[in-house]
Amino acid sequence: MQLAKPELLKTQNYINGQWRDAASSIEVRDPANGTLLAEIADGSATDAGAAVAAAHTALPAWREKTAAERAAVLKRWHQLIMDNADDLARILTLEQGKPLAEAKGEIAYGASYIEWYAEECRRAYGQTIPTHNPAMRLQTIRQPVGVVTCITPWNFPNAMITRKAAPALAAGCTVVIKPASETPLSALALCQLAEEAGLPAGTINMVVGSDAPAIGRVLTEDERVAKFTFTGSTAVGKILMAQCATGVKKMSMELGGNAPFIVFDDADLDTAVSACVATKMRNAGQTCVSTNRIYVHESVHDEFVEKLRAKVAELQVGHGTDEGVTVGPLIHRRAVERVAQLVQDSVDAGATIELGGDFLPAGENYYAPTVISGVTDDMRIAQEEIFGPLAPVQKFTDEDDVIRRANNTPYGLAAYVMSENIRRANRVVEALEYGMVACNTGVFSTTVAPFGGSKESGIGREGGVEGMAEFYETKYCCFGA
Ligand code: ADP
């Protein structure tokens, strides 16, 4: 791998400020063509225990630093990431598949959490509470929860780490991270830069491992762990929540979605189509906020489908490092086969392929950006999280009915509303049972706002002041006479 700074390519686990080998290794391959990129030390549950011990030992000294001291280190980390953004983006594209421009966007987005929380930690104010008894004084102080453990997915291998680690570290917690085995290189490169920035040994630790359940047990059950935070599937999230329950760990869960995208007859159709393609095709549809069900008012349905078809046809599929490519491969063959099966099931149930619907000769992990019409709510494609470049369109006639259909899912992560009518837009945004609703845009995620879901899409928020609050304990202090 050609990098301006070759030290960013790390292949060992990072525990207590040391790079450690393991008995066996995990192969990391380019999903676009299967090229072997690196072999990474396959960490174990024992390594996870050592990482938790290191974080526990490092906690008192880190917690006792002033916010300004912690902020200074975090700002150096942020700057080093930005200085090495080209290398980090290249690593990300090679191991994950997304186009280089998207990878660069993720590096800047991921780094922005570090900068923002470095600033925010200086405002961890408590309160003085008007007392109920003149002889007593009441106040609250905010203290870091303690050791924080994180498990992150492969779809945003940089930003899903910084979104957790930055507020945790800024608050005065120490962290242990298990990144996805598909994309450990982006994660380990972050640790290399954290070390260069001066994060003390044990403050940030990383264990990559193929035995995720065994490592997950340590990270959720070790008595030294105060809080666990996860981004991934709802199915795995439920297992990890149950494990957290045994020790009453604090936890945050950022889980799956089934995002509706509602296009009213008063929408600006060009805006709606651009927003739809942005949310649907970014990262080849492999984001938890990708729209999964596109509801279009019957009076504008045909025009919308035609415009969507034309816009999706412009996408360039290929290797993420190639100039002009806008859609890369899916993460592995299993994902491609699942997506193809969802298309087949929809067609068998009466849907129509408007565009795509094929594997591609570029490689076994590619699937064509696809538009499908005639979809109904009972089809699998409308009920399961697609995680691929499929845009399934349905018709609706009535506002109340489409709200009911949009809400009729166990998920509650993101929803989209397209309407130029401000009263309707307000009404529908408020009626949707989702943690995040975007109106007349397909891209809404930012450091400064709370990201997270309701229902089976999760617990807690990342980003904004809410994301910081997740890592503090509010202590009530009562002083007697
Ligand atoms: P995805 O479909 O995005 O891979 P997963 O929920 O399977 O979603 O994976 C997200 C993260 O959870 C990855 O880091 C993966 O290794 C980890 N993981 C998967 N299964 C378990 C488990 N039983 N215990 C702990 N971590 C797990």
Side-chain angles (χ1 to χ4, degrees), residues 151-154 178-180 212-213 216 230-233 236 239-240:
I151 295 184
T152 56
W154 48 262
K178 190 205 86 65
F230 176 72
T231 298
S233 61
V236 172
I239 295 169
L240 295 169

Coordinates of all heavy atoms in Angstrom, one line a residue, residues 151-154 178-180 212-213 216 230-233 236 239-240, ligand 1:
I151 N -17.7 -1.2 20.6 CA -17.6 -2.1 19.4 C -18.2 -1.3 18.2 O -19.3 -0.8 18.3 CB -18.4 -3.4 19.7 CG1 -17.7 -4.2 20.8 CG2 -18.4 -4.3 18.4 CD1 -18.2 -5.6 21.1
T152 N -17.4 -1.3 17.1 CA -17.8 -0.5 16.0 C -17.9 -1.4 14.7 O -17.3 -2.4 14.6 CB -16.8 0.6 15.8 OG1 -15.5 0.1 15.7 CG2 -16.9 1.6 17.0
P153 N -18.7 -0.9 13.7 CA -18.9 -1.6 12.5 C -17.9 -1.2 11.3 O -17.1 -0.3 11.5 CB -20.3 -1.2 12.1 CG -20.4 0.2 12.5 CD -19.5 0.4 13.7
W154 N -18.1 -1.9 10.2 CA -17.2 -1.6 9.1 C -17.6 -0.5 8.1 O -16.9 -0.1 7.3 CB -17.0 -2.9 8.3 CG -18.3 -3.6 7.9 CD1 -18.9 -4.7 8.6 CD2 -19.2 -3.3 6.9 NE1 -20.1 -5.0 8.1 CE2 -20.3 -4.1 7.0 CE3 -19.2 -2.3 5.9 CZ2 -21.4 -4.1 6.1 CZ3 -20.3 -2.2 5.0 CH2 -21.4 -3.1 5.2
K178 N -13.1 -2.3 20.0 CA -13.0 -3.4 19.1 C -13.6 -3.0 17.8 O -14.8 -2.9 17.7 CB -13.7 -4.6 19.6 CG -13.3 -5.9 18.7 CD -14.4 -7.0 18.7 CE -15.5 -6.8 17.7 NZ -15.0 -6.8 16.3
P179 N -12.8 -2.7 16.8 CA -13.3 -2.3 15.5 C -13.8 -3.6 14.7 O -13.4 -4.7 15.1 CB -12.1 -1.7 14.8 CG -10.9 -2.3 15.4 CD -11.3 -2.7 16.8
A180 N -14.5 -3.4 13.6 CA -14.9 -4.6 12.8 C -13.6 -5.2 12.2 O -12.7 -4.5 11.8 CB -15.9 -4.1 11.7
A212 N -15.5 -12.2 17.9 CA -16.2 -11.1 18.4 C -17.0 -11.4 19.6 O -17.0 -10.6 20.6 CB -17.0 -10.4 17.3
P213 N -17.7 -12.6 19.7 CA -18.5 -12.8 20.9 C -17.7 -12.9 22.1 O -18.1 -12.4 23.2 CB -19.2 -14.2 20.5 CG -19.3 -14.2 19.0 CD -18.0 -13.5 18.6
G216 N -16.5 -9.5 22.9 CA -17.7 -8.7 23.4 C -18.1 -9.0 24.8 O -18.5 -8.1 25.5
F230 N -22.1 0.8 21.4 CA -22.1 -0.1 20.3 C -22.7 0.5 19.1 O -23.8 1.2 19.2 CB -22.9 -1.4 20.6 CG -23.0 -2.4 19.5 CD1 -22.0 -3.1 19.1 CD2 -24.3 -2.6 18.9 CE1 -22.1 -4.1 18.0 CE2 -24.5 -3.5 17.9 CZ -23.4 -4.3 17.5
T231 N -22.2 0.3 17.9 CA -22.9 0.6 16.6 C -22.8 -0.7 15.8 O -21.8 -1.2 15.6 CB -22.2 1.7 15.8 OG1 -22.3 2.9 16.6 CG2 -23.0 2.0 14.5
G232 N -24.0 -1.1 15.4 CA -24.1 -2.4 14.6 C -25.5 -2.8 14.4 O -26.4 -2.0 14.5
S233 N -25.7 -4.1 14.2 CA -27.0 -4.6 13.9 C -27.9 -4.7 15.1 O -27.4 -4.8 16.3 CB -26.9 -6.0 13.2 OG -26.3 -6.8 14.1
V236 N -27.3 -8.1 17.0 CA -26.2 -8.2 17.9 C -26.3 -7.2 19.1 O -26.0 -7.5 20.2 CB -24.9 -7.9 17.1 CG1 -23.7 -7.8 18.0 CG2 -24.6 -9.0 16.1
I239 N -28.1 -8.8 22.0 CA -27.3 -9.8 22.7 C -26.4 -9.0 23.7 O -26.2 -9.3 24.9 CB -26.4 -10.6 21.8 CG1 -27.2 -11.5 20.9 CG2 -25.3 -11.4 22.5 CD1 -26.4 -12.1 19.7
L240 N -25.8 -7.9 23.2 CA -24.8 -7.1 24.0 C -25.6 -6.4 25.1 O -25.0 -6.2 26.2 CB -24.1 -6.2 23.1 CG -23.1 -6.9 22.1 CD1 -22.6 -6.0 21.0 CD2 -22.0 -7.6 22.8
Ligands
ADP1 P1 -22.7 -5.7 10.5 O1 -23.9 -6.4 9.9 O2 -22.6 -4.2 10.3 O3 -21.4 -6.4 10.4 P2 -22.8 -6.5 13.3 O4 -23.7 -6.1 14.3 O5 -22.7 -8.0 12.9 O6 -23.2 -5.6 12.0 O7 -21.3 -6.1 13.6 C1 -21.0 -4.9 14.2 C2 -19.8 -5.1 15.1 O8 -20.2 -6.0 16.2 C3 -18.6 -5.7 14.5 O9 -17.4 -5.1 15.1 C4 -18.7 -7.2 14.8 O10 -17.4 -7.8 14.9 C5 -19.3 -7.1 16.2 N1 -20.0 -8.3 16.6 C6 -20.7 -9.1 15.9 N2 -21.3 -10.1 16.6 C7 -20.9 -9.9 17.9 C8 -21.1 -10.5 19.2 N3 -21.9 -11.6 19.3 N4 -20.5 -10.0 20.3 C9 -19.8 -8.9 20.2 N5 -19.5 -8.2 19.0 C10 -20.1 -8.7 17.9

